[in-house]
Structure formats: C-alpha cells, structure tokens
Amino acid sequence: MVRSKLIMAAMAVCLSFAPCAFADPTPQAAAPSSPWLFVSTTFAPSETGMPYVGNGYFSQRIPPTGAGYLGNVGRTNWPIDAARGVQSLLAGFYASGKFSNIYRDETKRVPALLPTWSSMDFASPSGPYTAATAKLTDIDGYRQVQDLRTGQITTSGTWKAPGGETTAFQYRVFTSRARKHVGIVELRLTPNWNGTLKVTGWFDGAGAARLVPGSAKVDTSAHRTTLTASTAGTRVGLAMTSILQLQGGATMAGEAVAAGKALSGGERLTVAVKAGQTYTFTKVVAVATSKDSADPAAIAGKEAQAAASAGIEAVLAESRADWDKVWQGDIVIDGAPQLQNVVRSGIYNLYASIRDDAPGMLGPSGLSSDSYAGMAFWDSDTWMMPALLAAHPDIARAMVDYRFDTLAAAKKNASANGRMGSFYPWTAADDGSIHEDCYGTRADGNDKILADPNYSCSQEFHLQADVAMAQWNYFAATGDRAWLASKGFPVLAAVADFWTSVATPVANGGFAVNNVQPPDEDHFGVNNSAYTNAAASQSIKHAIAAAGLLGKPVQPRWQEVADGLVKTIPFDAVNQRHLEYDGYDGSTVKQADVVLMTYPLHYPMPAQVALNDINYYVPRTRSNGPAMTDAIHSIATSALDLPGCAAYTFMIRSYLPQLHEPFFQTSETTEGGPLNFLTGTGGVLQQFLYGFSGLRFGVDAIELDPSLPPQLQGLTLNGLQWQGRVFAMRITRDKTTVTLASGKAIPVTTRAGKRMLEPGTPLVLDTRKPDLQPTDNLARCQATSATSAIASNPPVAAVDGSIATSWTPVGGQGTLTIALGKPAAITGVQVTRGTGEKFHYTVDASNDGQAWWPVGTTPAPGAGDVDTITAAAGSKSAQYLRLVVDGKAGAGPVHVVEVSVNGASHP
C-alpha cells in the first residue's frame, strides 16, 4: 500500500511489562469510568481525534462538537488523493467516474459519500453552535465519550455564546445495529437564559460526494425531510428521511432550510425556552438505496417512522442487544488496560463496518472513510475475515460470499486476459471487473489489461490463492457442506483452473509462475515468488479436497501443478531459508511476505527453516511499512516456540507505533495514513485468536497450542465457534482451561496428543512459556525501561531472545535499564549490535537503580557485531544493569539487538 517515511516516535520511560504510548499528536484519553468507554476532554479538529458510529450498513464520523459536518480533517490517500471532511458511508454504495487526482483519465468505482446526516445545530439569541464555529475555549466541562457496548457517542458541555449567555448541551449519536437503516441524533439543551432557541436538523450536502442530486422535500407540519439522490455513473438510488421531535410537548414552529444547497435539506425549529429547563430534541434518520428496494424512499420513510414511534431508548436498547451478540466474542486481557482498549476498539471498528447481510467487500478502512477508494484487497481475505471467523462465522460468511457473488466477473477477467478459471481484480468494488475496479490499470470494456504501470492488477497473482484460502478456512470452521457445494467449491475450482493456466512447466518436473509481484509490493516482474507458489499449490490442494468431499470430478492437471509449484520455490540450502523469489538479493521488503508461509499458510517446513526466515526477513522489512506485518511475526514466533518473549515484542510493534488516542484508533503506518486501518486491526486480533491460543480450524478437529509471554498476566477468548459449537479459552501462565458453552464434544489436537472437549467437563492444557526455556542469560525477558525509544523498536526487544528485533533510542542516544529480578553476581555481558554498526556505549550495574558502577571495560567499536564485556574481579552483586548509548561515535544507526547477562543469581 502506501510508501512512507520513517517517523521516530519518542517514548517516555516505558516498562516492557506495561507498554506505554509513544509521543502522539492526538490528545490523550481522560480516565474512563468504565473499560467500555473512551473519553476525550480536548477538541481534536483532525480525523485522528474523531470517533465514528456504524452498524455495518452505514456510518458517520463525529466531529469534536458532537454532530454535523467539518471539512479538512484529513486527506484521502491513494488512489483518490483529495482533502477529506467528516464522512458518512454506506456499504456497497459505489459511484463510477473520473474521481482520482492521481489517475485523472481513469473511470473507476469509488464510494459515494452520503450527505452528513448527524447535523443538528442550535442557536441562542447571540449566535449559533455548529461543527464549523464552536471552539473548546467557549465550552466548559467538555467531554466526548465513545461507548463500545452500544456504539453510541455522547458529547457534552456548557457553551458560552458570543453574547455571553450559556447553554448546557448533550449530543447522543448512534446507528442502530438492530434496525440497519436507522441512525439517531439526540440533542438535550438546558439554557441559562430566557428567550428564543433555534434548533436546525438537516442533511448537509457539504459531506456528500459523487452523488447526483434528486429532490429535497420538507414537510414542516410532520417535521419530516426526505432527500433523494443517485450515485454518479452507476445510478444507484438513495433516499434519506429524517423526523424531528421535541420531547415534553413544548410548542415549536418549523421552517425549511438549505433549499438552495445541493444534496441538502432540513428544518429549523423555533422554541420559546425558560432558564433552567431541559429541552430534548430527537432526529430520527433512515437511509435506503435501490439495492434494498425499487422504492428506497418508501423504505426510508417506513423505517424512520417506525423508529420514531418506538422512541430513542427502545431503539438504543435493541441496538445494545445486537451489539451484545457481537461482544459475546470479546477478548479480555488481564492487567493491561491500554492493550485492552486497543483490542476492544479493534473489535468495535471491525464490526461497525460489516454485518451478516452486508455486501461483503470491506476496504482497508471499512465504513470509517473512503481510503483506498473503499476497495477490497487481499486484506479482506487474509487479515479481516479470519478475525471475524473465530467468533462470528455468520458475519464472516458475507466476506467469502462476496467472492462467489463476483465470480462471474472474475471468470470474465480471466478469459479476457488469456487465462482459465477466475482472475479477481487486485482492487475490487461491488462488481469485480478489472476495467471498473483496478486503479492504475488501463483495460478495455471487456476487461483485457492494456497497460499496468503499477503492476499489482496484472502481476499480484497471490490474491487468487488468498481468496481460496479464505474459502477453505470458512468451510473448515463451519463444516457447511451445502455452502461448500453451492458457493465455496465453484470459487476453489475456478482458482485452481487459474493456476493451471499460468504455471509453466520446467525441466525438473516443477511448475514456475513467472512475472509476478509478490506480497512485497516493492518488487515486481519476478519469477517464482516463494509465498505465491506455496499459496497457489495449497489453493489447488484445497480444491482437490473439496472435490473429494463433494464427490466432484478433479481436473486432470490439478495435482500435477500443485506438486510442481513447490519444486520451484526458491531455497537457500546453505543458510537453510527461503528466498523471496528467484534471484532475491537481500533488498528491503515492504511488508510480510516469506514469513506468511509459516502463518497463515502453514506451509510444511522444518521449524528451524521457519525461524531462519523470520530472523532473516524481519530486519529487512520496512519499519515504516503497513501495520499488519508484525502481527504475522508474532503469531509465527508463538507457533515456533522461540525461546524468549519476541511474540510480545512483535505484538507491541503491531499496534503501538500506529496508535492514536483517545479513541484508540490505529493508522496504517507510523506516519499516519488511513485511519481505522482494519487490515492492521485484523492482524492485532489474530494474535490473540490464533497466536497466543494456537487455535487452528481443521475439517475434523481443532488444534490448540496455547502460550503466553511473561508480560501478559492472562487472557480470555470468549464465544469461539467451530462447526456449530461454542467454546471459550482462559489462558494464564499456569494453565489453559477450555470450556464448551454449547454443542457436541469437540475433537482437539494438542502437543500432548488428541483430546476431547466434552460438555460439562473443561479441558485443561499446559500453557507454553517460551521465556522459561533454559538459558544462561539472566536478562532474558526481564523488565526493561528506556529514556527513549523508536516505537517500533521498544526496550523489551533488547532482552526478548530474538536476533530479529532491537531497541533503538531516539536520535542515537539513550539509556536502557534492565531489572534482573533478583541480585546476581555478574561475570560478563554480551551486547549484540545491528550489522556493521559502531556506536559507543557503556555498561553499568547497580543494586538499587540509583548508585551505579561500571561493569568491566566496554570494548571500542571494531570488527564483529557482538561485544563481550568481562566483569572486573570481585565485582559486587547487582540487581540492575544499564546500557548507556552516549552518541560519541557520531550519528550512525543504533540497534541494540540483544543484551545477554552472564553470572549467578542469588536465591
């Protein structure tokens, strides 16, 4: 995805046992009154400080003021490249046209943006309160709260108008998960003055984009506004209805507003008010399209009226009940409040963008924005779908069904480009055609590619295998043979046919796949991408397995090509590791590539080879690349039982450098990029669902292999599902307890052998503790702190047992402190530097962390990357060690890969 610069984020002194936030331009969260609430007390007029509401059907970003439209809050990235305001999106709602500022001559699909439906302004006698005009300096007691349990955002305070009069206000905004067409805005006002109050509830066309205006009708007698429009190019009809209400029976007069503004319309209410009394205004909104009904205005009107009649509290209770079903799959983390917030924010943001009756395509930012033009990439199949599948296979089905729904288009793409089977576009909207969806690619009306300077649409073939992997994993998790026969197998078979048409036979009986772009998108036009070939082989084998289960015929060349593809996977026999592609020279890698063979592909290989792949490719992977990469490193490290705690280091790296408080939203990279980056979110969640749990879904059994680093006290995975059963895992350092909540017994494969999870009888397993594997390093996985650190190179990396991670102080100067846990007679220290680095440092010891003495003589930077420091004879016992990088050797790079302390601990 985006190519970005490295940003070094300074961290405060940060204990590895309690990860702290790095310096971030967004405001810090106020202390929440509940672990389900995120609270802000500071205006942040940028997207990183704004939460959003969504129910999987439509959404609305909420500005600091609590409602309405605010412009220039961010910028839409590739391929649109345009200034962005507060946005409202609707699932599967695409326009078509020349909307890209990068590919100005291309007619492509892109999400159409709805008029801002949350707009509900008020005015006291001397001035208005709006998203564009209100300032924090005019508000006392400001507070904005996101409630993850209900999906509701509440904004409150006391506003001082230009004339000095004050009004206490509270906005509540949410979309109903139970009534997918419905959104609610409530405004409670308590004036401290007598006079005339004006409240304007309206649809603001400033937030709309890529729509053709229809009509705007305002019925002031019923306080009802109906707005219609259609998507540019695709002509999908849109209808939006709002109904304004004033609780308590106070008299209000209405007048139509915004009659001359495109895609706008609403009503201004005028009410005589008294000081100290509270007035509650409600705006019930309903949205529908011609994909829902031939008469979307009728649907919108009906849904709005029904919700208005039910009342806001009833609608909220229904929505809370549906969100409760989502939260049955909650992940609970003991003693790590920031990490808990990140995980729960991720769950909310993912499910706010999809539901079981959604169109299925889910772009990297979901319904939070039009980043990446709302296109579905491999992100959907590889990163997001597995995060849904573990606890909500009914919702995950929408994503795998999307690939079946666009299969006809994929087959047309393949045929037009001289291939068999299916050829899914690298970037895909609701139609799945190359000429409409693949940005940066010129194709004719029949979807034949004419030019592709970006290479992804014509070369990034691994997407086809990623689609197949998602299909098979869904079947394994659900056991739904009817689905497999009707939808899954047609996709698997078409993908298998694709590979047989692009694979080229070579002399050794193998099959090559040439001229491809691997997951490492910094390279293109290469032959035999290791991940691509391995994934292609697996996808064909899944088609063969599905055919066997269904009694379907197997195409003659499937097995031959599947076997032959693995014969051409490049391998360095001397160093026992895979090469990314033929002729790979060790150059920088954009994102997870070869390491994907360990997870999620589970490609069979010796554990040492998989570990060699990690150790070789992690240091070569861009530290400013997309956020999902380190999640793969963490899961693979957990699976390989690497001695130490590197799985924890990678987990911290997967979210902390991209984190934006107070709403715990994550961006794509360390410098920002798309917010609510659901690809990275999917990776974060998979670390818990599949990494620390070791959970794998098989057709006949599940596999469990739990582990836990010492920095985590324990975690609970709720609502896990496999083939109609529901179970939970409680993982602590002492043991793992698995309980069956409903359904028949589950066959379980563990390291100790085959077990059964029976109803009423918990299954107790050992929890692996890789940090406790034998070592003579007294520092391994002990508590660390640092005066500063680049967020992607935290202090724990210097003691996690991995040569693939490192601590890096900001500016090449800083102090790392290690608490050894108990006093020790230190005999020596080894410090491993980054390859070829020559920075200067000193090593000291202490009993109390206050009084320090040198540990031997620090060697001058010289040949080799491992320094050995021998302690002076008769050295005192110590409980702390510190390494001070003083910057004397100049401004060269500093990577402290590992600090090893030798000696004898005292009881």
Side-chain angles (χ1 to χ4, degrees):
M1 293 184 182
V2 299
R3 292 163 172 78
S4 54
K5 302 175 183 176
L6 173 64
I7 285 188
M8 297 184 185
M11 297 172 68
V13 173
C14 180
L15 292 179
S16 68
F17 282 10
C20 63
F22 62 103
D24 190 289
T26 58
Q28 297 299 303
S33 57
S34 159
W36 297 95
L37 303 179
F38 297 157
V39 183
S40 174
T41 57
T42 305
F43 261 44
S46 66
E47 197 173 40
T48 55
M50 299 181 191
Y52 81 105
V53 297
N55 62 4
Y57 178 74
F58 75 119
S59 67
Q60 178 71 71
R61 181 77 67 177
I62 304 300
T65 50
Y69 176 76
L70 184 63
N72 296 314
V73 301
R75 191 166 187 86
T76 295
N77 70 327
W78 182 95
I80 304 304
D81 187 33
R84 177 163 62 216
V86 165
Q87 293 184 339
S88 172
L89 285 85
L90 194 153
F93 192 58
Y94 289 88
S96 178
K98 296 179 180 179
F99 299 113
S100 170
N101 286 319
I102 299 175
Y103 310 109
R104 294 179 181 273
D105 295 331
E106 292 185 9
T107 298
K108 301 293 185 185
R109 297 211 171 196
V110 61
L113 304 179
L114 305 184
T116 303
W117 55 265
S118 69
S119 296
M120 202 167 182
D121 310 327
F122 66 91
S124 63
S126 67
Y129 178 97
T130 72
T133 61
K135 301 186 295 293
L136 181 61
T137 53
D138 296 328
I139 303 173
D140 287 333
Y142 173 79
R143 184 178 171 90
Q144 188 169 69
V145 181
Q146 182 180 31
D147 185 344
L148 302 182
R149 295 301 297 264
T150 62
Q152 178 177 259
I153 295 171
T154 303
T155 309
S156 60
T158 299
W159 174 67
K160 184 178 180 179
E165 69 272 21
T166 61
T167 306
F169 68 91
Q170 177 184 279
Y171 284 98
R172 291 199 295 167
V173 184
F174 67 94
T175 51
S176 170
R177 193 160 183 93
R179 302 172 184 246
K180 72 175 186 178
H181 297 281
V182 173
I184 300 290
V185 185
E186 181 192 74
L187 174 59
R188 295 182 181 179
L189 298 172
T190 305
N192 293 318
W193 45 271
N194 298 316
T196 300
L197 171 69
K198 294 183 179 181
V199 173
T200 305
W202 61 307
F203 297 120
D204 188 350
R210 305 148 203 150
L211 289 177
V212 177
S215 62
K217 299 178 181 179
V218 181
D219 181 351
T220 56
S221 63
H223 304 298
R224 181 183 181 119
T225 298
T226 300
L227 185 77
T228 64
S230 61
T231 54
T234 54
R235 295 294 180 180
V236 178
L238 169 70
M240 304 177 72
T241 296
S242 71
I243 298 174
L244 298 180
Q245 298 173 315
L246 172 58
Q247 308 301 320
T251 302
M252 60 181 181
E255 61 176 317
V257 297
K261 186 176 180 180
L263 297 165
S264 302
E267 184 179 5
R268 178 176 295 116
L269 305 177
T270 301
V271 182
V273 297
K274 295 181 179 180
Q277 293 192 11
T278 298
Y279 301 84
T280 302
F281 299 84
T282 303
K283 179 183 178 184
V284 179
V285 174
V287 180
T289 76
S290 55
K291 289 186 174 184
D292 300 310
S293 166
D295 188 357
I299 296 293
K302 178 181 177 182
E303 292 288 340
Q305 188 59 60
S309 298
I312 183 173
E313 298 305 331
V315 174
L316 181 61
E318 294 170 349
S319 184
R320 165 65 187 267
D322 269 29
W323 272 109
D324 283 347
K325 295 175 185 177
V326 170
W327 291 112
Q328 288 174 3
D330 187 24
I331 298 170
V332 180
I333 303 168
D334 300 349
Q338 184 196 62
L339 181 57
Q340 180 70 81
N341 288 343
V342 169
V343 167
R344 283 195 173 138
S345 174
I347 293 172
Y348 170 80
N349 288 317
L350 186 60
Y351 286 93
S353 290
I354 194 167
R355 51 192 299 121
D356 58 3
D357 57 356
M361 78 290 299
L362 198 57
S365 290
L367 294 181
S368 73
S369 78
D370 60 354
S371 293
Y372 285 111
M375 293 283 160
F377 294 72
W378 71 313
D379 307 42
S380 301
D381 307 273
T382 304
W383 308 94
M384 302 175 210
M385 196 285 289
L388 297 167
L389 181 63
H392 292 286
D394 55 328
I395 297 176
R397 176 168 175 167
M399 299 190 76
V400 292
D401 280 358
Y402 161 67
R403 294 302 189 182
F404 173 78
D405 294 341
T406 55
L407 177 59
K411 288 183 174 181
K412 182 173 178 286
N413 295 336
S415 177
N417 289 279
R419 300 182 178 106
M420 296 168 52
S422 57
F423 185 28
Y424 288 94
W426 179 245
T427 58
D430 55 337
D431 63 323
S433 71
I434 287 177
H435 80 278
E436 278 278 349
D437 295 357
C438 253
Y439 276 89
T441 302
R442 284 198 306 111
D444 64 21
N446 292 320
D447 296 300
K448 178 178 176 57
I449 296 175
L450 304 176
D452 182 21
N454 282 346
Y455 306 105
S456 295
C457 290
S458 59
Q459 294 188 11
E460 204 152 355
F461 290 169
H462 71 83
L463 167 68
Q464 315 308 315
D466 300 324
V467 168
M469 179 167 57
Q471 302 285 313
W472 181 258
N473 287 344
Y474 175 79
F475 168 67
T478 63
D480 189 342
R481 292 202 180 198
W483 173 88
L484 181 66
S486 63
K487 295 187 176 182
F489 180 69
V491 173
L492 291 169
V495 170
D497 286 342
F498 169 84
W499 290 117
T500 63
S501 70
V502 300
T504 303
V506 294
N508 69 347
F511 281 83
V513 180
N514 298 324
N515 198 34
V516 301
Q517 186 175 48
D520 168 19
E521 295 165 341
D522 285 349
H523 297 90
F524 51 86
V526 303
N527 298 336
N528 294 316
S529 152
Y531 173 76
T532 301
N533 284 25
S537 174
Q538 183 191 74
S539 67
I540 299 173
K541 291 175 181 178
H542 286 159
I544 294 170
L549 289 169
L550 299 172
K552 301 279 188 181
V554 174
Q555 296 300 320
R557 297 186 66 233
W558 282 0
Q559 190 67 59
E560 178 189 11
V561 174
D563 293 341
L565 284 168
V566 301
K567 294 180 180 179
T568 55
I569 294 175
F571 189 73
D572 179 347
V574 174
N575 294 296
Q576 288 293 293
R577 60 182 177 237
H578 293 97
L579 297 176
E580 186 181 300
Y581 50 81
D582 285 348
Y584 174 72
D585 61 2
S587 56
T588 300
V589 175
K590 177 186 176 182
Q591 58 194 15
D593 191 306
V594 170
V595 294
L596 295 164
M597 295 171 68
T598 298
Y599 180 88
L601 203 56
H602 315 306
Y603 181 77
M605 71 180 89
Q608 187 60 51
V609 171
L611 179 57
N612 293 344
D613 287 345
I614 291 174
N615 288 339
Y616 183 71
Y617 285 102
V618 169
R620 286 165 174 77
T621 302
R622 282 203 262 149
S623 60
N624 62 334
M628 69 278 193
T629 290
D630 277 314
I632 297 301
H633 297 152
S634 177
I635 298 170
T637 299
S638 292
L640 294 171
D641 202 28
L642 173 66
C645 50
Y648 177 81
T649 304
F650 288 127
M651 186 267 291
I652 292 299
R653 288 172 32 153
S654 75
Y655 78 86
L656 188 59
Q658 301 85 18
L659 182 63
H660 299 274
E661 296 187 13
F663 298 108
F664 296 90
Q665 301 172 108
T666 52
S667 55
E668 182 181 11
T669 70
T670 55
E671 71 169 5
L675 194 62
N676 302 111
F677 184 57
L678 297 186
T679 311
T681 292
V684 169
L685 298 180
Q686 286 191 55
Q687 290 172 98
F688 296 92
L689 296 169
Y690 304 104
F692 298 128
S693 71
L695 171 63
R696 305 290 186 269
F697 293 122
V699 174
D700 300 315
I702 64 170
E703 179 181 333
L704 296 177
D705 186 21
S707 63
L708 204 65
Q711 295 88 350
L712 296 179
Q713 298 174 15
L715 63 96
T716 303
L717 307 176
N718 294 295
L720 300 171
Q721 297 192 37
W722 181 72
Q723 297 190 5
R725 291 87 148 184
V726 180
F727 63 102
M729 294 183 69
R730 170 65 180 160
I731 306 171
T732 68
R733 294 275 291 170
D734 296 328
K735 63 183 178 181
T736 294
T737 304
V738 190
T739 55
L740 185 63
S742 65
K744 299 182 295 183
I746 300 177
V748 181
T749 301
T750 73
R751 289 196 177 216
K754 296 186 181 298
R755 306 283 296 275
M756 289 294 292
L757 175 59
E758 303 280 359
T761 305
L763 176 62
V764 179
L765 306 173
D766 291 334
T767 301
R768 285 188 293 109
K769 296 178 279 290
D771 60 293
L772 295 185
Q773 293 188 39
T775 182
D776 58 3
N777 180 6
L778 301 179
R780 192 176 75 184
C781 296
Q782 296 297 332
T784 60
S785 62
T787 55
S788 71
I790 293 174
S792 54
N793 295 68
V796 66
V799 297
D800 64 6
S802 171
I803 62 172
T805 62
S806 61
W807 166 63
T808 298
V810 175
Q813 189 172 353
T815 299
L816 172 74
T817 303
I818 305 168
L820 299 177
K822 50 187 175 182
I826 298 174
T827 59
V829 177
Q830 288 80 42
V831 177
T832 303
R833 310 166 184 261
T835 303
E837 296 179 355
K838 300 184 181 301
F839 56 87
H840 185 269
Y841 63 90
T842 59
V843 178
D844 304 312
S846 173
N847 268 322
D848 58 6
Q850 302 296 320
W852 297 89
W853 63 86
V855 177
T857 301
T858 304
D865 300 320
V866 181
D867 300 330
T868 299
I869 303 164
T870 302
S875 292
K876 295 180 289 185
S877 177
Q879 198 164 346
Y880 297 90
L881 189 90
R882 75 178 183 187
L883 186 148
V884 181
V885 181
D886 52 28
K888 290 181 180 179
V894 174
H895 294 84
V896 178
V897 175
E898 200 71 15
V899 177
S900 180
V901 178
N902 305 122
S905 295
H906 299 308

